[in-house]
Amino acid sequence: MPNRFIGSWIDKGLVWFFTALNIITIVFTFFAEITFWDEFKTRFNFIAVDYLIYTHEVVANINQSYPLPLLIGGVLCISGGILFVFYKTGAFTASFTTKASLKQRLYALVLTVITGLIFGFFINNSMAEWSSNRYNSEISKSGIYSFFAAFRNNQMKYDEFYTTINNNKAFALVRKKLGGSNAFYTKENYSIHRKITDSLGSEQKKNVVFILVESLSGSFMKEFGNTENITPFLDSLAQKSVFFDNLYATGTRTVRGMEAVTLCIPPTPGQSIVKRPDNANLYTVNSVFKAKGYDSNFFYGGDGYFDNMNAYFGGNGFTIYDRGHGSVLSDKIQAVRNHIEDNEITFENAWGICDEDILNKMLKVADKQYATGQPFFNFVMTTSNHRPYTYPTGKIDIPSGTGRSGAVKYTDFALREFFSNAKTKHWFKNTVFVIVADHCASSAGKDEIDVANYHIPAFIVNLPDSETQKVSKLCSQIDLFPTLFGLLHWNYDSDFFGRNVLRNEFEERSLMGTYRKLTLMKQDKLMILSDQRKQAFYSWNKHDNSLKSIPMEQSFLEETIAWYQTADYLFNHKLLK
């Protein structure tokens, strides 16, 4: 600023405004990072970036979860106190009376610009990840810098950031893993498209109700050692269903779970495909249902604009039922969107209507579908097991809003009520129910990948008693629908990386990831691929959930690369359409 403006109202206004803005930002970030760490055990990352986009849900959630007036008041009081100290010590007076030479001002400007360029182009946020203890690395980061680093790296091309092998070799490896006596490839080279046949091929068209449960960790169930008795219904269901007790989620977000179960694909780096551009008209499990004449619907108790869910499901053949707080579908998406009316709701919080209400809505729609004689595939996403953990009072013995255990127990209660009501329906006997978690309630531990926090339960319910069994093979969310199609004895086309777990030739493995770490686990060994073309190989101790570094195995590394490289290639080259 020229010296003639020093001390003018323009100078004073700018200095006061930007000083106050910086102090408020720093103080606000300090408190925000504490609450963010409490929820996610990490510095700001891509989740924080998403939270700036979906302001309705996030602001309402924060308001219902924390004493917002107290927090905002505290931020303003602390910021005001710091400004007052500056004022009393003469900092502002000095700023408004001290003049600088052109040389001094150029020196300050050049130094600032160079520093900005260095941090913008040469300093990577991952450089702070110096420790094998993930908590130490995260604490070493700057929250604000981490936020903008995540904003810049929301999408990552596999071949630019990760270790690669020749594409021919990668696809040959994956095709070998996905082949079998019932799989016949119909295309050569860069394709996994195949026809799946069944020796007992059936055209039986059972209705399918698929329930994706918010944050249902395996550790919540008595079946896996929990002593709180917060999932009595699901524990009973485990004894009379096809129950997967060694299944792992592919990611740590709802959109990752949706991607896994609908596309049956490993988690590609960066954002989930559910949130990426050009994700309509893909070959999903709904393509199989549509080919067999099913009516498909997606049910969500909040606004499906959140996390791009409506665009993804609407663009892939589903009719939508959601609350819809005003956001509209793109003109490119030819899907019907139905608003869940106020008179159908008994309870609603920041994330949407309670689990009982969304499941009851599905029952009403299923009755109409049954009346038309058309088989249906209904996909339901629950929301109650989410902070602020509020739900209708008087349903369970844990007060609403007191924590995660109550929310889990309410979801379990809602599922029990749902099955009780569904059993009275004419369509019940001809309907299969599939229940699985989208991800665990917690996903971040001290190691690169917290394996135990990917373990989730899955159930296939209402098959003949002869099918009831516990499946202990190590498997993934991506295997759930291929296994269901196998139980139904369907012949179908597949572009899926998932396989029927119940076949003897199924090779046990699980694929897990964050938006930067990509993992293949087989038995007690796991390979982790990281950006900057890094790899790490560990043995996993299931008893204490710890990782121990072991010597690299080249064949294991190449297989890991192949799964992720081919998945990324197929999507980015529009070969999953």
Side-chain angles (χ1 to χ4, degrees):
M1 181 174 289
N3 280 330
R4 66 178 180 274
F5 289 112
I6 299 299
S8 67
W9 66 269
I10 295 176
D11 181 28
K12 291 179 179 178
L14 289 173
V15 170
W16 269 101
F17 175 77
F18 283 104
T19 304
L21 179 64
N22 272 277
I23 290 170
I24 290 171
T25 300
I26 291 167
V27 174
F28 174 84
T29 303
F30 174 77
F31 286 109
E33 280 203 274
I34 291 173
T35 55
F36 193 82
W37 184 280
D38 180 57
E39 182 78 7
F40 299 106
K41 300 298 185 292
T42 182
R43 291 283 195 179
F44 289 143
N45 57 17
F46 71 106
I47 301 174
V49 176
D50 286 350
Y51 275 16
L52 283 186
I53 300 171
Y54 307 109
T55 53
H56 171 81
E57 289 84 357
V58 174
V59 172
N61 178 43
I62 292 170
N63 189 39
Q64 293 172 16
S65 302
Y66 302 101
L68 213 52
L70 181 63
L71 287 175
I72 293 175
V75 168
L76 293 177
C77 285
I78 293 171
S79 302
I82 295 171
L83 288 170
F84 181 73
V85 171
F86 282 1
Y87 174 76
K88 293 297 288 185
T89 55
F92 285 105
T93 301
S95 178
F96 299 145
T97 56
T98 303
K99 296 185 178 181
S101 68
L102 179 63
K103 183 179 179 180
Q104 288 173 313
R105 283 180 279 142
L106 281 174
Y107 176 77
L109 176 64
V110 170
L111 188 63
T112 303
V113 170
I114 290 175
T115 302
L117 290 174
I118 289 172
F119 274 89
F121 292 98
F122 300 105
I123 304 297
N124 191 300
N125 201 44
S126 62
M127 291 177 181
E129 297 171 359
W130 58 275
S131 173
S132 59
N133 185 315
R134 198 192 60 82
Y135 292 146
N136 290 341
S137 295
E138 288 295 326
I139 290 169
S140 301
K141 297 177 182 177
S142 158
I144 296 175
Y145 195 81
S146 293
F147 174 85
F148 285 100
F151 184 81
R152 292 174 63 185
N153 296 323
N154 237 359
Q155 289 193 19
M156 306 170 72
K157 292 184 178 179
Y158 182 90
D159 56 0
E160 291 181 11
F161 290 91
Y162 294 84
T163 308
T164 60
I165 57 177
N166 180 275
N167 270 327
N168 291 329
K169 186 173 186 179
F171 274 94
L173 279 169
V174 169
R175 285 167 67 97
K176 183 178 179 180
K177 296 295 180 182
L178 296 178
S181 58
N182 70 325
F184 303 93
Y185 286 103
T186 59
K187 297 179 181 179
E188 298 297 325
N189 301 323
Y190 299 168
S191 170
I192 60 167
H193 189 83
R194 57 207 187 278
K195 290 188 176 295
I196 306 297
T197 61
D198 193 293
S199 59
L200 302 175
S202 170
E203 285 304 311
Q204 184 181 18
K205 295 179 180 179
K206 285 184 174 288
N207 306 308
V208 176
V209 174
F210 183 86
I211 304 173
L212 194 62
V213 181
E214 174 67 44
S215 303
L216 184 65
S217 303
S219 60
F220 292 145
M221 293 183 62
K222 183 178 179 180
E223 187 75 15
F224 300 115
N226 189 289
T227 59
E228 295 180 276
N229 193 34
I230 54 177
T231 59
F233 176 71
L234 289 175
D235 283 311
S236 69
L237 210 58
Q239 317 310 318
K240 47 189 177 185
S241 64
V242 178
F243 177 61
F244 298 79
D245 63 12
N246 200 17
L247 183 144
Y248 288 79
T250 62
T252 61
R253 300 289 313 282
T254 296
V255 285
R256 277 296 185 202
M258 290 176 168
E259 170 192 86
V261 297
T262 56
L263 284 167
C264 306
I265 193 172
T268 48
Q271 282 284 19
S272 162
I273 290 171
V274 173
K275 299 192 67 174
R276 292 194 197 179
D278 200 25
N279 64 2
N281 302 311
L282 301 177
Y283 193 84
T284 67
V285 294
N286 192 38
S287 305
V288 177
F289 284 106
K290 287 290 186 183
K292 294 185 179 294
Y294 277 66
D295 177 47
S296 305
N297 297 272
F298 171 64
F299 297 82
Y300 179 62
D303 188 337
Y305 168 73
F306 184 78
D307 269 351
N308 205 46
M309 288 186 283
N310 279 353
Y312 176 74
F313 283 94
N316 286 289
F318 288 83
T319 297
I320 295 165
Y321 291 84
D322 75 333
R323 277 294 277 159
H325 293 287
S327 58
V328 295
L329 285 168
S330 164
D331 290 337
K332 297 178 182 179
I333 300 172
Q334 303 299 314
V336 177
R337 186 183 185 196
N338 300 282
H339 183 264
I340 300 173
E341 302 297 337
D342 291 347
N343 60 11
E344 299 177 283
I345 298 165
T346 62
F347 182 89
E348 188 170 17
N349 65 14
W351 294 103
I353 64 179
C354 66
D355 291 353
E356 285 177 280
D357 288 345
I358 193 65
L359 292 168
N360 284 335
K361 179 64 180 178
M362 198 289 301
L363 289 173
K364 291 180 182 179
V365 174
D367 286 341
K368 294 179 181 179
Q369 292 169 308
Y370 173 74
T372 67
Q374 188 176 10
F376 56 81
F377 168 44
N378 289 341
F379 188 120
V380 183
M381 178 70 224
T382 74
T383 59
S384 290
N385 185 23
H386 196 297
R387 189 180 295 275
Y389 312 126
T390 53
Y391 41 83
T393 58
K395 302 290 184 175
I396 59 172
D397 57 1
I398 302 176
S400 172
T402 56
R404 173 79 71 178
S405 293
V408 173
K409 192 164 188 175
Y410 169 72
T411 292
D412 185 81
F413 166 84
L415 288 169
R416 186 187 72 188
E417 292 297 298
F418 166 71
F419 273 91
S420 178
N421 292 328
K423 286 177 181 177
T424 67
K425 304 295 183 180
H426 294 294
W427 45 263
F428 177 79
K429 287 185 178 179
N430 193 45
T431 302
V432 177
F433 301 84
V434 184
I435 304 171
V436 68
D438 56 353
H439 55 82
C440 282
S442 176
S443 59
K446 66 180 180 64
D447 293 315
E448 286 191 82
I449 291 285
D450 192 321
V451 179
N453 278 328
Y454 285 78
H455 181 221
I456 57 173
F459 314 74
I460 299 178
V461 186
N462 210 32
L463 288 167
D465 290 341
S466 59
E467 301 286 0
T468 297
Q469 59 181 299
K470 290 187 179 180
V471 181
S472 295
K473 293 181 182 179
L474 173 64
C475 58
S476 169
Q477 274 175 316
I478 69 174
D479 302 313
L480 201 51
F481 269 104
T483 303
L484 173 65
F485 295 152
L487 286 166
L488 296 176
H489 300 291
W490 280 2
N491 297 319
Y492 64 98
D493 282 21
S494 173
D495 272 319
F496 308 141
F497 286 79
R499 298 188 67 195
N500 181 356
V501 177
L502 300 177
R503 290 189 65 84
N504 292 331
E505 58 199 14
F506 177 80
E507 185 177 331
E508 297 183 41
R509 53 88 190 99
S510 184
L511 297 146
M512 303 171 284
T514 66
Y515 77 112
R516 287 177 51 208
K517 308 283 187 180
L518 307 172
T519 304
L520 172 66
M521 182 166 72
K522 300 173 74 174
Q523 296 180 336
D524 62 345
K525 294 181 180 180
L526 62 125
M527 184 75 68
I528 301 177
L529 306 178
S530 304
D531 50 17
Q532 300 182 318
R533 304 186 188 278
K534 295 180 179 178
Q535 318 94 35
F537 194 38
Y538 298 101
S539 62
W540 176 52
N541 187 325
K542 188 172 185 177
H543 299 293
D544 64 5
N545 191 35
S546 63
L547 299 180
K548 180 183 178 181
S549 183
I550 56 176
M552 183 64 64
E553 289 184 16
Q554 187 63 26
S555 60
F556 204 122
L557 173 61
E558 290 181 353
E559 182 185 342
T560 308
I561 294 169
W563 284 111
Y564 291 105
Q565 183 174 319
T566 55
D568 186 81
Y569 183 95
L570 290 173
F571 176 76
N572 285 305
H573 286 79
K574 298 179 172 55
L575 297 175
L576 295 179
K577 293 289 185 179

